Amino acid sequence: MDHNTVLLFAGIGALLLLASVIGRLLKWRAGGGPHAVIDNLNARINAWWVMVLVIGIAFLFGKYGVIVLFYCVSFYALREFMTLTPTRRSDYPALVAAFYVALPLQYLLIAMDWYGLFSIFIPVYLFLLLPILASFGGDTTRFLERASKVQWGLMIAVYCVSAVPALMTLDIPGFEGRNLLLIAWLILVVQISDVLQYVCGKLFGKRKVAPNLSPSKTIEGLLGGVALATLIGASLCWITPFSFWQAALMALTVNAMGFFGGLVMSAIKRDRGVKDWGHMIEGHGGMLDRIDSVCFAAPVFFHFVRYWWA
Amino acid sequence: MLTALTAFAITSAARLITGARALWLGCTPQPVQRLYFANHSSHGDFVLLWASLPGPLRQRTRPVAGADYWAKPGLRNFVIRKVFNGVLIDRQRSEVQANPLQPVLDALSGGDSLIFFPEGTRNLGDEPLLPFKSGLFHLAAANPDMEVVPVWIANLNRVMPKGRALPLPLLCTLSFGEPLQVQAAEDKHAFLERARQALLNLAPKEV
């Protein structure tokens, strides 16, 4: 692990320590009794410690550590997605293909650096193969709807998420051997934008930005969170191949994508009548609740960097 | 030793694949005599219900299973008799005189709790629940102090569809409802209908 990575993780550790102290102080000031918002805040902070630790361990193992980490992220996300979107008995072969073929192959192709295939494997080959498999069951009930669900789940949970470890495959002149930092930058900026939108929303939030889709998102939270996260992304340009202004524009792009990703995933949840995708991350909900913004930001970020820098 | 290891392996695998989240909505996991009755769509149903109970309760809770399927010599027989300590019933009534529920009644008078599927067979159709057989009423009426607890097992039919060997790693939820008892003036039909409705109420709403 190079000097910059250590520095970055030390900074994140300090930030989390500060958050933990503030969380405990709020709890103490509230009298120590049960308090929904503060307890949830502390649960979220504790979960952040675990998530940062897991990412840190994956980083220690370099490229393959990151690939294995995001393979697991994709698996849990796909599982939550498919659990919540009902399919019928005839979809079994398509679901088997999704979980046991598409998911491992996508990450294998990334490990093999095979850009020509991993960039089209799910959007082209699986897109055609999955409905073929579903048609073998001979069940026409809501066929298009079912085929779309499986394909959409794969795109979001596997294809989009895999764009994060795919950053390891880019050859950026003058940035050799430091691609892990690009991943760290992307995750940090997108996630800190989520956190700051939450914090700004809780502190100053008044006007709802999309009451039907996500009642907790406010205009004040959105503007404050995105502005601060963009500033943080820009001031971290020293760990990226970008200049200050390039980093600011990139940060603004991924933050905007992340915000809209949150809205889209929220619309699906609300349509299915649930508040969270799952329960695996205490205080946050499911895996998809935590990474919805990354799903939308990562592919755009990957292709922007590939087009302009690699 | 072998049985304990097998039990551990089976319950761990069931929990790993399905997540097996237990929601105690209408009661709490307590060591009182209970009859858990659930919807039945897969051979894995009782395994998942059994696995989602806390350890001490699990030891006193026995699944009721059809002898025609489970009593075949070999692995199945070992699993149902030794690992799960199951109560086998003769669904085909090969002895006309015998009460097919007798082994179940014996288990209840011995103080055990049971896992019971009142539909009598696996539901493989599109309807959420088949009509109940009368067994549930006879067991509840004969044991008025026992808590009859509805448990809805969600999604397991998608994890292991009929005739498929490879399970899908989808998440399953078990919702434990409020205990029922046969009321004073309640006849068989009314009780079965009430029990069926109580179970259906625990099912996630289809949008």
Side-chain angles (χ1 to χ4, degrees), chain A residues 168-187:
Chain A
M168 294 304 292
T169 66
L170 296 178
D171 292 317
I172 302 165
F175 197 66
E176 288 84 1
R178 297 166 65 198
N179 288 24
L180 269 181
L181 282 171
L182 214 49
I183 294 182
W185 184 87
L186 172 67
I187 298 176

Tab-separated table of all heavy atoms in Angstrom, chain A residues 168-187:
chain	number	residue	atom	x	y	z
A	168	MET	N	-9.504	-0.918	-12.173
A	168	MET	CA	-8.157	-1.479	-12.053
A	168	MET	C	-7.564	-1.832	-13.414
A	168	MET	O	-6.360	-1.980	-13.551
A	168	MET	CB	-8.176	-2.739	-11.177
A	168	MET	CG	-8.528	-2.519	-9.721
A	168	MET	SD	-7.469	-1.331	-8.888
A	168	MET	CE	-5.905	-2.192	-8.857
A	169	THR	N	-8.432	-2.018	-14.430
A	169	THR	CA	-7.934	-2.470	-15.723
A	169	THR	C	-7.450	-1.311	-16.596
A	169	THR	O	-6.880	-1.535	-17.659
A	169	THR	CB	-9.042	-3.211	-16.509
A	169	THR	OG1	-10.075	-2.274	-16.843
A	169	THR	CG2	-9.646	-4.344	-15.691
A	170	LEU	N	-7.691	-0.059	-16.176
A	170	LEU	CA	-7.329	1.082	-17.020
A	170	LEU	C	-5.827	1.395	-16.933
A	170	LEU	O	-5.251	1.387	-15.849
A	170	LEU	CB	-8.133	2.320	-16.594
A	170	LEU	CG	-9.651	2.238	-16.769
A	170	LEU	CD1	-10.297	3.517	-16.254
A	170	LEU	CD2	-10.010	1.998	-18.224
A	171	ASP	N	-5.234	1.659	-18.095
A	171	ASP	CA	-3.838	2.114	-18.116
A	171	ASP	C	-3.843	3.623	-18.304
A	171	ASP	O	-4.099	4.120	-19.398
A	171	ASP	CB	-3.079	1.457	-19.280
A	171	ASP	CG	-2.921	-0.033	-19.061
A	171	ASP	OD1	-2.605	-0.415	-17.917
A	171	ASP	OD2	-3.151	-0.798	-20.013
A	172	ILE	N	-3.570	4.340	-17.235
A	172	ILE	CA	-3.581	5.798	-17.298
A	172	ILE	C	-2.134	6.289	-17.289
A	172	ILE	O	-1.424	6.071	-16.307
A	172	ILE	CB	-4.361	6.380	-16.098
A	172	ILE	CG1	-5.794	5.825	-16.097
A	172	ILE	CG2	-4.372	7.907	-16.155
A	172	ILE	CD1	-6.519	6.035	-14.796
A	173	PRO	N	-1.688	6.932	-18.390
A	173	PRO	CA	-0.295	7.381	-18.459
A	173	PRO	C	0.039	8.298	-17.279
A	173	PRO	O	-0.718	9.227	-16.969
A	173	PRO	CB	-0.220	8.143	-19.794
A	173	PRO	CG	-1.374	7.617	-20.593
A	173	PRO	CD	-2.446	7.257	-19.612
A	174	GLY	N	1.153	8.034	-16.612
A	174	GLY	CA	1.581	8.845	-15.475
A	174	GLY	C	0.901	8.473	-14.173
A	174	GLY	O	1.146	9.085	-13.137
A	175	PHE	N	0.018	7.464	-14.197
A	175	PHE	CA	-0.734	7.092	-12.986
A	175	PHE	C	-0.574	5.593	-12.723
A	175	PHE	O	-1.358	4.983	-12.000
A	175	PHE	CB	-2.206	7.460	-13.184
A	175	PHE	CG	-3.021	7.524	-11.906
A	175	PHE	CD1	-2.772	8.490	-10.939
A	175	PHE	CD2	-4.046	6.622	-11.679
A	175	PHE	CE1	-3.537	8.547	-9.782
A	175	PHE	CE2	-4.815	6.673	-10.524
A	175	PHE	CZ	-4.554	7.643	-9.574
A	176	GLU	N	0.471	4.984	-13.338
A	176	GLU	CA	0.632	3.533	-13.280
A	176	GLU	C	0.733	3.035	-11.839
A	176	GLU	O	1.392	3.649	-10.994
A	176	GLU	CB	1.885	3.097	-14.057
A	176	GLU	CG	1.756	3.211	-15.569
A	176	GLU	CD	2.057	4.620	-16.078
A	176	GLU	OE1	2.386	5.496	-15.255
A	176	GLU	OE2	1.937	4.834	-17.305
A	177	GLY	N	0.064	1.930	-11.575
A	177	GLY	CA	0.168	1.286	-10.268
A	177	GLY	C	-0.610	1.985	-9.165
A	177	GLY	O	-0.506	1.622	-7.998
A	178	ARG	N	-1.387	3.005	-9.518
A	178	ARG	CA	-2.096	3.735	-8.455
A	178	ARG	C	-3.606	3.713	-8.661
A	178	ARG	O	-4.323	4.520	-8.050
A	178	ARG	CB	-1.589	5.183	-8.407
A	178	ARG	CG	-0.111	5.291	-8.045
A	178	ARG	CD	0.417	6.674	-8.340
A	178	ARG	NE	-0.212	7.680	-7.490
A	178	ARG	CZ	-0.206	8.981	-7.765
A	178	ARG	NH1	0.365	9.423	-8.859
A	178	ARG	NH2	-0.797	9.828	-6.944
A	179	ASN	N	-4.091	2.772	-9.496
A	179	ASN	CA	-5.526	2.747	-9.800
A	179	ASN	C	-6.406	2.522	-8.570
A	179	ASN	O	-7.560	2.929	-8.556
A	179	ASN	CB	-5.827	1.672	-10.833
A	179	ASN	CG	-5.322	2.061	-12.205
A	179	ASN	OD1	-4.404	2.861	-12.309
A	179	ASN	ND2	-5.922	1.513	-13.238
A	180	LEU	N	-5.850	1.857	-7.540
A	180	LEU	CA	-6.631	1.661	-6.316
A	180	LEU	C	-7.109	3.002	-5.765
A	180	LEU	O	-8.210	3.105	-5.217
A	180	LEU	CB	-5.773	0.966	-5.256
A	180	LEU	CG	-5.793	-0.569	-5.197
A	180	LEU	CD1	-4.891	-1.035	-4.068
A	180	LEU	CD2	-7.206	-1.102	-4.982
A	181	LEU	N	-6.262	4.017	-5.909
A	181	LEU	CA	-6.627	5.337	-5.381
A	181	LEU	C	-7.826	5.928	-6.114
A	181	LEU	O	-8.621	6.659	-5.535
A	181	LEU	CB	-5.427	6.290	-5.491
A	181	LEU	CG	-4.357	6.085	-4.424
A	181	LEU	CD1	-3.125	6.906	-4.741
A	181	LEU	CD2	-4.906	6.476	-3.052
A	182	LEU	N	-7.931	5.573	-7.408
A	182	LEU	CA	-9.073	6.040	-8.195
A	182	LEU	C	-10.368	5.445	-7.626
A	182	LEU	O	-11.398	6.118	-7.522
A	182	LEU	CB	-8.879	5.590	-9.648
A	182	LEU	CG	-9.386	6.482	-10.763
A	182	LEU	CD1	-8.945	7.913	-10.582
A	182	LEU	CD2	-8.931	5.925	-12.103
A	183	ILE	N	-10.288	4.146	-7.253
A	183	ILE	CA	-11.446	3.482	-6.637
A	183	ILE	C	-11.762	4.136	-5.298
A	183	ILE	O	-12.917	4.441	-4.994
A	183	ILE	CB	-11.156	1.977	-6.464
A	183	ILE	CG1	-11.043	1.322	-7.843
A	183	ILE	CG2	-12.226	1.306	-5.620
A	183	ILE	CD1	-10.817	-0.160	-7.801
A	184	ALA	N	-10.709	4.370	-4.501
A	184	ALA	CA	-10.911	4.994	-3.193
A	184	ALA	C	-11.564	6.357	-3.362
A	184	ALA	O	-12.507	6.698	-2.638
A	184	ALA	CB	-9.570	5.118	-2.473
A	185	TRP	N	-11.097	7.116	-4.336
A	185	TRP	CA	-11.646	8.467	-4.567
A	185	TRP	C	-13.132	8.388	-4.930
A	185	TRP	O	-13.962	9.102	-4.368
A	185	TRP	CB	-10.859	9.158	-5.694
A	185	TRP	CG	-11.276	10.583	-5.938
A	185	TRP	CD1	-10.800	11.695	-5.306
A	185	TRP	CD2	-12.246	11.039	-6.889
A	185	TRP	NE1	-11.423	12.821	-5.808
A	185	TRP	CE2	-12.322	12.449	-6.783
A	185	TRP	CE3	-13.069	10.411	-7.823
A	185	TRP	CZ2	-13.169	13.228	-7.555
A	185	TRP	CZ3	-13.931	11.185	-8.600
A	185	TRP	CH2	-13.966	12.585	-8.466
A	186	LEU	N	-13.457	7.487	-5.872
A	186	LEU	CA	-14.856	7.360	-6.322
A	186	LEU	C	-15.774	6.986	-5.157
A	186	LEU	O	-16.802	7.640	-4.922
A	186	LEU	CB	-14.957	6.303	-7.428
A	186	LEU	CG	-16.386	5.934	-7.848
A	186	LEU	CD1	-17.073	7.101	-8.526
A	186	LEU	CD2	-16.394	4.712	-8.758
A	187	ILE	N	-15.396	5.936	-4.421
A	187	ILE	CA	-16.259	5.488	-3.321
A	187	ILE	C	-16.381	6.574	-2.260
A	187	ILE	O	-17.472	6.867	-1.775
A	187	ILE	CB	-15.718	4.179	-2.704
A	187	ILE	CG1	-15.727	3.081	-3.769
A	187	ILE	CG2	-16.550	3.750	-1.508
A	187	ILE	CD1	-15.123	1.792	-3.290
